[in-house]
Amino acid sequence: MKELTPKQLRAVCSVKGLKCKSSADFTPLKDIVGQKRALQALSFGLEISDHGFNIYVSGGHGTGRTTAVTTYLNEIASKEPVPSDVLYVSNFSDPYQPRALMLSAGKGKALVVDLDNFVEAARNSITKMLESEEFVTSREDRRSQYERVRNDILTKMQEKAQKAGFALRGTQTGLVIVPVVEGEEVKRSQVAKMSAEERESIENRREVLETELRKLFRALQTLERELVAALKKMEEDAVRFTLNPIIDDFLDEYTNYPEVSEFIHDIAKDITENLSIFMGRQEGNVTLPPQQQSRRISPEEFSKRYKANLIVDNSEQEGAPVMIITNPTYSNLFGRIEKEPRFGTLFTDYSMIRPGALHKVNGGYLVVPVRELLTSPLSYPALKRALQNNHVVIEEPAEQVGFLSMKTLRPESIPLKIKVVIIGDPFIYQQLYILDPDFRELFKVKADFDTSMDRTEKNIRLYCQFIRSLTQKEELRELAAEAIAEVVDYSSRLAENQAKLSVHFGVIADIIREANHYAKEDRKRLIERKHIIKALEARLYRSNLLEEKIRELIEKEVILITTKGEVVGQINGLSVLSLGDFAFGRPSRVTASVAPGRGRVIDIEREAGLGGSIHHKGVHILSGYLSEKFGRDKPLSLSARLVFEQSYSGVEGDSASSTELYALLSALSGVPIQQRFAVTGSVNQHGEIQAIGGVNEKIEGYFAVCKVTGLTGDQGVLIPKANIQNLMLKEEIVKAVEAGKFHIFAVDTIDEGIELLTGRPASEINKLADKRLQEMANVMREFSTPPK
């Protein structure tokens, strides 16, 4: 047991050498955090290109893990090649499955322009060709030949009709055979008045004539079809001949892209097959084949099918892309197919395909927060499928679960080459690793970020550089050396260790931003130490309302806490209440009562349903200590009850187990405990005091109560010796200890603590307790012995 000196209560940072001299001294955040283990794991995962070596970055929120990872990724990505552009174009053989083109960076944007120029050049050249004298003359010659043959056939038909006694007359429905008698055409009514023999003669001759004319009609129809086919072939040959040099000029820029060559030849074929629509010669609107639904379009809109939809443009990208997606919904990850209302229905085509994050960072690195990924429907399973298949597919979300049966676009999938970095906490990693076999196969690398780093001179200088880089980036005032020292000391308090610095840079940055506000109010050029202290005090004031209320109840003796005098079986315990953004220490009165019984130590908190399992374990350890210490020569025949007085909420943890044991020893020995002390620390079955958490808050909580009830100069706290390294107390308490107004003792064993609390040797306390237990054993023996 020893009383701690002021120097042991707080690590104080020296102001010497804290100022950064120039911006050249800035160190990237990935170096400042001192996360050597995590960064080595991250580097290992990035270097291996094998399937499944994606990375899970594990660490606490606000530790700078996201900033460190993205900084590291950007540094690596800047040295890697720029990935390909991605475009979607029409698939003329199956418009429901648009084709994907992948071109080197910058070529995609060029292809979009070149396709527009190609279509315009094709239209102009075809127009000139169709209007050329040579083509017009050839077409007219072919038609003249047709007219001559047609006229010959028609003349033969007239001659056969005349020879058979008929005439051919043209009507709206075609050629009509009219009987001729004595050089005059006979009407149907006149034929009806003729004799039966004459009518029969006319009908017989008509049947013979119709048979002969039918052969001539077929020949005429064949001639017309041949003319149409010949004119079409002539036109198509001329169009192909016209387009060939344009295609050759176009492909000079895309010699290494066979898929572009195939597509441009498909365009030429489609133009040839739909020349009338392409040239705008067809009257009215035409149907664009095919679409999600048939609809009529103007000829000008027809050419849109030859455009390219550039969904990923890397023309201005330097190195591989790095992206953080904070809202990883299915559409944001995998893209979507947009639709627009037309004529009372929804319309879509390949030009409405929109990319997702996987398209944009294909060939690079994607950073995804795990909680958002898991809470976005369909996103996590679809991401696993993409990584397993090494392809990214754009499809309707409803298709993922089989809810959509409507025919829609199914764009061609794109090869996926990407490193996914998931950022989350250790608990989620453990659950995924245990419950999801796919996760183990796909995320084989874990980069574990620590919450603190060693408080060395080098790391303090790096901390200084981080502060300087923050102030420069956000245009804040610079910090004076004393202010930087205060920030460093606060960082050690966050880490709860004099030899560590916290890497919760988010909290540190918020303190500096608030201190900058106070410096601005004071019209100071630098952020001074008082501004940092004011920011810390303001942060505390905004959250400590409950602490003040409890302290007020203690002052008014509504909550009973005694800091003077001596009481048997009663002691001041220390606990920590956490409100999420704020934690504070609260003293509690712990009492113990004993009586003859069957060797049970009853935890009243547990019996009332207020005690947690760890606290209950601590109470069982007390039974083990008593058995080890006093039960070697007799059975323990006591019934002891322990309780946190005026506690109406749950009690958890074993940090009060030593406190309860002190109260129990006092109740057994009958020796009072000095109420000027408060105690914290867990204990094992051998009476050794073990470290606990929240030691600073507990000491500060009891000191505040002593201030309210009146400092007497002899009040103090007992803490485990193992917790000395965790002390980063407020300057007010350090000064009170230095002035002898408050005391902090570090103890190793229960015997050391009981001596300090009672003012008597531990051997005497133990002897009295053993004597009382022997008396209880005798009493129980008397009651258990049957009367004679």
Side-chain angles (χ1 to χ4, degrees), residues 573-577 586 588-590 603-619 642-657 660 698:
L574 296 173
S575 60
V576 174
L577 293 182
R586 175 197 169 180
S588 298
R589 175 178 288 179
V590 178
D603 177 14
I604 294 179
E605 305 295 332
R606 178 75 172 185
E607 297 295 320
L610 297 177
S613 56
I614 298 177
H615 178 260
H616 192 51
K617 173 188 174 183
V619 174
L642 298 169
V643 66
F644 279 72
E645 304 289 356
Q646 294 183 290
S647 173
Y648 308 106
S649 58
V651 176
E652 181 59 302
D654 64 348
S655 65
S657 57
E660 293 169 322
K698 292 175 178 179

Side-chain angles (χ1 to χ4, degrees), residues 357-400:
L358 291 180
H359 299 90
K360 296 176 182 178
V361 297
N362 196 6
Y365 305 92
L366 180 65
V367 181
V368 189
V370 69
R371 289 187 180 274
E372 287 76 3
L373 177 65
L374 296 178
T375 54
S376 296
L378 306 178
S379 293
Y380 178 58
L383 178 61
K384 290 193 297 181
R385 262 194 310 275
L387 295 175
Q388 288 167 338
N389 300 328
N390 291 323
H391 275 79
V392 54
V393 181
I394 301 177
E395 57 185 343
E396 298 288 348
E399 289 186 345
Q400 293 284 315

Side-chain angles (χ1 to χ4, degrees), residues 654-659 680-684 687-692 720 750:
D654 64 348
S655 65
S657 57
S658 67
T659 308
T680 184
S682 70
V683 66
N684 61 27
E688 296 171 325
I689 306 298
Q690 302 169 145
I692 45 84
I750 287 293

Side-chain angles (χ1 to χ4, degrees), residues 211-342:
T211 302
E212 294 178 350
L213 291 180
R214 195 174 293 118
K215 295 179 182 179
L216 294 174
F217 270 124
R218 284 198 294 269
L220 186 60
Q221 290 172 347
T222 300
L223 179 65
E224 289 177 348
R225 286 196 297 269
E226 289 176 351
L227 174 64
V228 172
L231 290 177
K232 184 178 181 181
K233 185 176 185 306
M234 179 189 299
E235 198 171 65
E236 289 178 351
D237 290 343
V239 169
R240 279 192 287 269
F241 181 79
T242 303
L243 292 180
N244 282 338
I246 304 176
I247 293 174
D248 292 340
D249 290 343
F250 179 93
L251 294 179
D252 285 343
E253 296 295 327
Y254 300 93
T255 54
N256 296 324
Y257 303 101
E259 63 274 19
V260 175
S261 175
E262 181 182 354
F263 178 62
I264 205 68
H265 282 97
D266 287 346
I267 290 179
K269 180 181 178 182
D270 191 72
I271 290 175
T272 304
E273 293 174 350
N274 299 279
L275 187 61
S276 295
I277 306 173
F278 178 71
M279 298 305 297
R281 297 183 308 191
Q282 183 167 327
E283 294 182 0
N285 291 333
V286 295
T287 300
L288 177 63
Q291 298 288 3
Q292 293 288 19
Q293 68 284 327
S294 296
R295 69 183 186 88
R296 312 288 288 185
I297 67 163
S298 63
E300 291 77 13
E301 191 175 353
F302 182 80
S303 297
K304 291 182 179 179
R305 66 192 301 176
Y306 305 131
K307 292 180 175 293
N309 178 13
L310 179 61
I311 66 169
V312 178
D313 178 16
N314 286 318
S315 58
E316 299 181 3
Q317 177 70 33
E318 296 181 2
V322 177
M323 176 187 291
I324 303 176
I325 180 168
T326 57
N327 184 25
T329 62
Y330 180 85
S331 296
N332 288 346
L333 279 174
F334 296 92
R336 63 190 182 279
I337 303 171
E338 295 181 343
K339 301 175 181 64
E340 63 181 15
R342 290 188 186 178

Side-chain angles (χ1 to χ4, degrees), residues 60 110 224 234 304 395 464 468 509 517 542 595 608 610 711 751:
E224 289 177 348
M234 179 189 299
K304 291 182 179 179
E395 57 185 343
C464 167
R468 178 69 181 276
H517 170 73
R542 292 191 292 266
L610 297 177
L711 284 171
D751 286 347

Side-chain angles (χ1 to χ4, degrees), residues 477-521:
R477 287 166 168 76
E478 293 185 17
L479 275 70
E482 293 80 2
I484 295 175
E486 188 66 32
V487 170
V488 171
D489 290 345
Y490 181 70
S491 175
S492 290
R493 179 181 171 89
L494 286 178
E496 296 187 11
N497 196 313
Q498 296 178 0
K500 297 287 185 180
L501 293 172
S502 170
V503 295
H504 284 89
F505 292 106
V507 176
I508 299 298
D510 287 341
I511 294 296
I512 294 173
R513 294 182 186 111
E514 187 169 347
N516 180 75
H517 170 73
Y518 297 133
K520 184 177 180 181
E521 283 185 342

Side-chain angles (χ1 to χ4, degrees), residues 568-680:
V568 174
Q570 175 178 303
I571 192 171
N572 294 322
L574 296 173
S575 60
V576 174
L577 293 182
S578 178
L579 306 179
D581 64 328
F582 174 65
F584 64 93
R586 175 197 169 180
S588 298
R589 175 178 288 179
V590 178
T591 60
S593 62
V594 295
R598 299 187 179 276
R600 290 187 61 198
V601 177
I602 298 174
D603 177 14
I604 294 179
E605 305 295 332
R606 178 75 172 185
E607 297 295 320
L610 297 177
S613 56
I614 298 177
H615 178 260
H616 192 51
K617 173 188 174 183
V619 174
H620 281 302
I621 289 174
L622 302 188
S623 298
Y625 174 84
L626 294 176
S627 298
E628 171 73 17
K629 192 80 172 178
F630 304 108
R632 293 177 180 270
D633 57 350
K634 58 186 173 298
L636 292 182
S637 304
L638 83 160
S639 175
R641 287 170 173 78
L642 298 169
V643 66
F644 279 72
E645 304 289 356
Q646 294 183 290
S647 173
Y648 308 106
S649 58
V651 176
E652 181 59 302
D654 64 348
S655 65
S657 57
S658 67
T659 308
E660 293 169 322
L661 183 53
Y662 290 136
L664 195 55
L665 291 174
S666 172
L668 285 170
S669 65
V671 178
I673 290 176
Q674 301 179 61
Q675 301 299 295
R676 61 193 177 97
F677 290 113
V679 179
T680 184

